[in-house]
Amino acid sequence: MVSPKRKRLVTGKTVVIPLVGHPVEQVKSPGPINNWFAEHGVDAVIVPMDIRPEKVASFFDVLRAMENCAGCSITMPHKQAAFVACDEVSERARRARAVNTIRRSPSGKLIGEMTDGMAFIAALGGHGVRVRDCNALLVGAGGAGMAIAFELASEGASSLTIIEPDQMRRRALEAELNRYHPALEVFDRVAAGRKIDIAVNASPLGMNSGDPLPFPIAELAGALIVADAVTKPVVTPWLKEAERHGLKVQNGEEMALAQLPIQLSYLRFMNSSSRSAGGATGAAELSIAPEAAK
């Protein structure tokens, strides 16, 4: 928490980091990141910006011209648009075809990374869950879902069942997984008798009241963990149902918190050694307080 004696003062020298999405009222990172900047004497601020999809390409043009900008953070539904806008992307971002963090070079070049999968795995580690030889279930094959799928594969998952209503998107992800991780078994449904160890919702289901559950909890008996990438509400109906069945859960806030030191390192505000010193998530000095929920 920021000391009450320490005041933040935004000036013409302050480095600005936009956080873009539509909507942005659910985002969790501005509070803890701005607190971290204040506590460490970093003259920077992260600002949520609600940008409509039809205008987001223009936003990235502005980002290139912002001399006092270190980069930006991207949330739904702009991760694919951010991928297209970047001049360079990491191998993770290229495989996911999505970007959630952009570093802006002094010349205005936009360099993209996709950290959702890394954050998901880090959050799992905080629960003592390891992926190797596990059967995983993924609901949603958008930007975050693709990133999580590749990290599950890289960490040695035995199989991955992908539930995605857009069949072209699902088949594209399956083809990429087969290309880079041929040993991974990929399915489009949970066959009778196959126990799921790790289940994750990377779709928007649960953000709005009345949404159906991403997957029947009754079919996840014995799972090691049920995880959700949705951050608002923090405990989605799916997670409530999982808890009612006695299953361990991981909420979207935990993944969001695990994301913060990874992104700060990528934007060069935190070095990788200090991030590693933070434990499983590298977030020893970052925390999401209730007031940081907007």
Side-chain angles (χ1 to χ4, degrees):
M1 298 296 293
V2 179
S3 167
K5 295 182 179 180
R6 180 173 297 179
K7 295 182 179 180
R8 297 297 313 277
L9 182 63
V10 176
T11 72
K13 295 181 179 180
T14 301
V15 174
V16 178
I17 305 157
L19 188 165
V20 295
H22 180 68
V24 291
E25 64 178 27
Q26 79 284 357
V27 298
K28 305 295 183 180
S29 55
I33 286 183
N34 285 328
N35 286 346
W36 188 88
F37 285 151
E39 290 297 326
H40 290 79
V42 178
D43 189 8
V45 61
I46 185 168
V47 182
M49 295 184 178
D50 193 339
I51 309 290
R52 291 186 175 276
E54 64 270 18
K55 299 293 185 181
V56 73
S58 299
F59 164 80
F60 291 120
D61 287 338
V62 172
L63 189 68
R64 294 177 191 280
M66 290 178 64
E67 296 292 335
N68 63 332
C69 178
C72 75
S73 179
I74 304 102
T75 190
M76 296 187 300
H78 299 325
K79 295 177 183 180
Q80 286 82 9
F83 174 79
V84 172
C86 283
D87 301 294
E88 296 178 10
V89 297
S90 70
E91 183 64 16
R92 279 188 173 90
R94 191 190 65 76
R95 292 182 184 182
R97 295 187 177 88
V99 158
N100 76 333
T101 310
I102 291 176
R103 184 172 66 238
R104 181 190 178 278
S105 76
S107 66
K109 181 182 292 185
L110 303 184
I111 307 164
E113 176 62 282
M114 186 54 172
T115 67
D116 282 339
M118 290 184 279
F120 176 75
I121 297 298
L124 282 185
H127 287 282
V129 175
R130 299 293 180 263
V131 174
R132 183 161 298 281
D133 298 326
C134 284
N135 294 319
L137 167 72
L138 173 69
V139 181
M146 291 181 75
I148 290 170
F150 276 105
E151 291 300 322
L152 288 168
S154 295
E155 292 292 317
S158 176
S159 74
L160 177 61
T161 300
I162 303 168
I163 307 297
E164 168 57 58
D166 185 331
Q167 290 305 299
M168 287 185 64
R169 178 181 285 179
R170 190 199 64 77
R171 285 194 292 268
L173 174 55
E174 181 175 356
E176 288 294 285
L177 288 169
N178 287 337
R179 177 183 177 189
Y180 291 102
H181 299 280
L184 177 72
E185 292 188 286
V186 182
F187 305 99
D188 62 359
R189 62 179 59 85
V190 178
R194 186 186 307 126
K195 175 179 171 290
I196 296 297
D197 302 299
I198 299 170
V200 54
N201 174 41
S203 80
L205 292 175
M207 290 182 67
N208 302 306
S209 62
D211 282 349
L213 295 183
F215 190 82
I217 291 296
E219 297 183 29
L220 297 176
L224 299 175
I225 197 162
V226 175
D228 210 320
V230 170
T231 56
K232 187 177 182 182
V234 175
V235 182
T236 61
W238 197 50
L239 295 186
K240 288 180 181 178
E241 184 71 3
E243 288 182 319
R244 194 175 70 81
H245 280 74
L247 298 174
K248 181 184 291 188
V249 301
Q250 175 178 300
N251 63 52
E253 265 193 2
E254 295 175 84
M255 179 173 155
L257 179 58
Q259 189 104 250
L260 304 187
I262 300 172
Q263 290 189 332
L264 285 171
S265 295
Y266 186 72
L267 294 174
R268 296 176 176 169
F269 290 107
M270 177 187 287
N271 63 47
S272 58
S273 60
S274 64
R275 173 162 67 90
S276 300
T281 64
E285 300 178 61
L286 290 157
S287 61
I288 294 178
E291 65 269 23
K294 291 186 179 180

